[in-house]
Amino acid sequence: MTASRTLALTEKLISLSSITPDDKGCQQHLIDLLTPLGFVCETIISNGVTNLWARRGTTSPVFVFAGHTDVVPTGPVEQWRSLPFIPTLRDGKLYGRGAADMKTSIAAMVVACEEFIAATPDHSGSIAFLITSDEEGPAVDGTVVVCEQLKARGEQIDYCLVGEPTSSAELGDMIKNGRRGSLSGRLTVKGVQGHIAYPQLAKNPIHLAAQAIADLVAERWDDGNEYYLPTSWQMSNINAGTGANNVIPGEMVIDFNFRFSTASTDEGLRARVHAILDQYDFPYDLQWTLSGQAFLTPRGSLSDALSDAIIEETGITTELSTTGGTSDGRFIAQICPQVIEFGPPNASIHKIDEHIELRHIDPLKNIYRRTLEHLLPA
């Protein structure tokens, strides 16, 4: 296979305007390519979300390529230099929505499998694909649904490589071996509204909660660990008052978020927040939303195989990192002991004129193929 094969498949996928949760036929195109390679393909529909589970082989270890065919909305089309769903080559780059996040990765995975299977038809273990159209959206009917079904069926996954765009300045300079958890809270502090000239007849919720807020800001939630910085607590919104400068507000609402490491648990963080608030005598209501658990894959056979593949292909010694937002790796980590994310540079993701440099496309495919060669030899 040549670089043009991966490029052509990437262009085909970009041309399918698969804005969350509409897959637009991307996964059917993948099925058409994977079936002749010996993959048994299963489409799993959940509330309008299209998911694909495809597996070649019945033995262990099971190596899974994971990713998403959905993309974020384009934003103002008139601000793009070329139409976002017409793949365009310009100045050594491929432009289009999904070029970096993550249709190039999916194309590279498929072509890597084509090359690997052609060269090693009797490879050990099994290869699988877990693809969703709900990663950029609510993520409640996508990867998590497939993982639940696999768990219920007793299907074991040993390695999972997620094609998220993790590289920074150069292809291969960073891979993700974990992600922080995300826990949000909405704190409503109850007061008594009144005229600001008669404070004795009112209770100002801002004043009532001021010291508790200061305590939350000052709290050190954990010290992190070898792979994670300490857990972060940040307020994103504070709302109180009627807009008038002579009215004491009746309540205050604070939105906040934890990005937490594996040194903490969401249950422990919730308990500590309540303990701080309960030190002070004011009524409040606190609603929690857990967006994702933290997960971590310590250095092991998968990260070693991928790191070796990167240095063989690019000469770059990669960095293991847990920075960034959440990904579907958080769901896969519940059923797979080794989950690593790796893909192209991420500087243009979700932006106007999203793109990937052409010089990265073939090496990305080669890194994926080399990783298979390391882990599933004949």
Side-chain angles (χ1 to χ4, degrees):
M1 300 296 174
T2 65
S4 61
R5 168 67 179 143
T6 310
L7 173 60
L9 180 51
T10 303
E11 290 176 318
K12 172 62 177 178
L13 294 174
I14 289 173
S15 71
L16 300 171
S17 55
S18 53
I19 297 173
T20 310
D22 193 347
D23 175 68
K24 285 289 187 178
C26 289
Q27 291 176 34
Q28 183 58 55
H29 190 63
L30 299 181
I31 290 170
D32 293 342
L33 297 173
L34 293 172
T35 301
L37 299 177
F39 284 85
V40 177
C41 299
E42 177 184 0
T43 297
I44 301 170
I45 304 293
S46 178
N47 293 320
V49 171
T50 306
N51 303 294
L52 171 63
W53 173 249
R55 177 168 173 169
R56 182 184 195 272
T58 59
T59 61
S60 295
V62 180
F63 180 100
V64 175
F65 283 117
H68 58 91
T69 50
D70 61 316
V71 297
V72 296
T74 63
V77 173
E78 65 274 11
Q79 294 184 18
W80 287 69
R81 291 181 61 195
S82 52
L83 291 175
F85 294 113
I86 297 181
T88 303
L89 302 177
R90 186 174 64 248
D91 302 325
K93 301 179 179 69
L94 170 63
Y95 287 83
R97 176 58 86 220
D101 188 14
M102 56 177 287
K103 291 185 173 179
T104 301
S105 293
I106 292 176
M109 291 169 174
V110 172
V111 179
C113 284
E114 291 175 346
E115 294 184 357
F116 175 68
I117 292 168
T120 318
D122 297 322
H123 61 80
S124 59
S126 303
I127 309 172
F129 280 78
L130 197 172
I131 307 294
T132 184
S133 67
D134 186 36
E135 196 274 347
E136 299 288 9
V140 296
D141 290 293
T143 298
V144 63
V145 170
V146 181
C147 289
E148 288 170 352
Q149 290 202 20
L150 294 176
K151 184 177 181 180
R153 298 196 308 225
E155 290 201 50
Q156 175 67 38
I157 296 176
D158 298 286
Y159 309 115
C160 183
L161 180 52
V162 186
E164 288 293 336
T166 62
S167 299
S168 180
E170 282 293 332
L171 177 71
D173 60 6
M174 183 176 291
I175 64 178
K176 305 288 187 181
N177 66 319
R179 296 278 188 164
R180 294 173 295 176
S182 178
L183 175 65
S184 297
R186 169 160 287 190
L187 173 65
T188 303
V189 179
K190 307 292 186 179
V192 176
Q193 183 174 309
H195 197 295
I196 206 161
Y198 301 96
Q200 71 276 16
L201 302 179
K203 289 186 178 179
N204 193 319
I206 303 172
H207 296 183
L208 292 175
Q211 187 56 56
I213 295 170
D215 290 351
L216 290 167
V217 171
E219 183 76 4
R220 187 170 182 87
W221 303 95
D222 61 43
D223 295 319
N225 54 38
E226 177 186 359
Y227 299 100
Y228 283 98
L229 294 172
T231 290
S232 166
W233 183 86
Q234 293 290 323
M235 289 181 287
S236 55
N237 290 287
I238 299 180
N239 294 288
T242 64
N245 65 3
N246 63 350
V247 178
I248 293 171
E251 69 175 27
M252 174 176 62
V253 178
I254 300 175
D255 294 320
F256 63 83
N257 177 266
F258 281 104
R259 292 302 168 101
F260 62 96
S261 76
T262 51
S264 290
T265 65
D266 68 288
E267 295 92 344
L269 294 172
R270 296 179 208 226
R272 289 171 64 185
V273 169
H274 281 285
I276 290 172
L277 296 174
D278 291 344
Q279 295 179 73
Y280 301 95
D281 186 22
F282 60 83
Y284 69 87
D285 177 71
L286 181 49
Q287 301 295 320
W288 295 97
T289 302
L290 178 65
S291 301
Q293 294 285 3
F295 73 92
L296 176 67
T297 297
R299 288 178 178 85
S301 51
L302 177 55
S303 60
D304 288 347
L306 178 57
S307 298
D308 289 345
I310 289 170
I311 199 167
E312 290 163 4
E313 183 65 28
T314 68
I316 292 174
T317 300
T318 195
E319 173 189 353
L320 269 67
S321 171
T322 58
T323 58
T326 60
S327 78
D328 276 3
R330 68 192 188 272
F331 304 126
I332 302 167
Q334 304 302 309
I335 63 170
C336 179
Q338 297 190 56
V339 179
I340 298 289
E341 302 175 20
F342 170 65
N346 54 29
S348 71
I349 63 174
H350 294 203
K351 293 183 178 180
I352 301 293
D353 289 336
E354 180 181 351
H355 62 270
I356 184 171
E357 294 188 47
L358 295 177
R359 66 188 179 94
H360 290 152
I361 293 177
D362 195 44
L364 177 63
K365 175 261 299 179
N366 291 340
I367 290 168
Y368 288 155
R369 188 197 69 244
R370 289 177 185 272
T371 302
L372 288 172
E373 292 169 353
H374 285 303
L375 292 173
L376 302 180

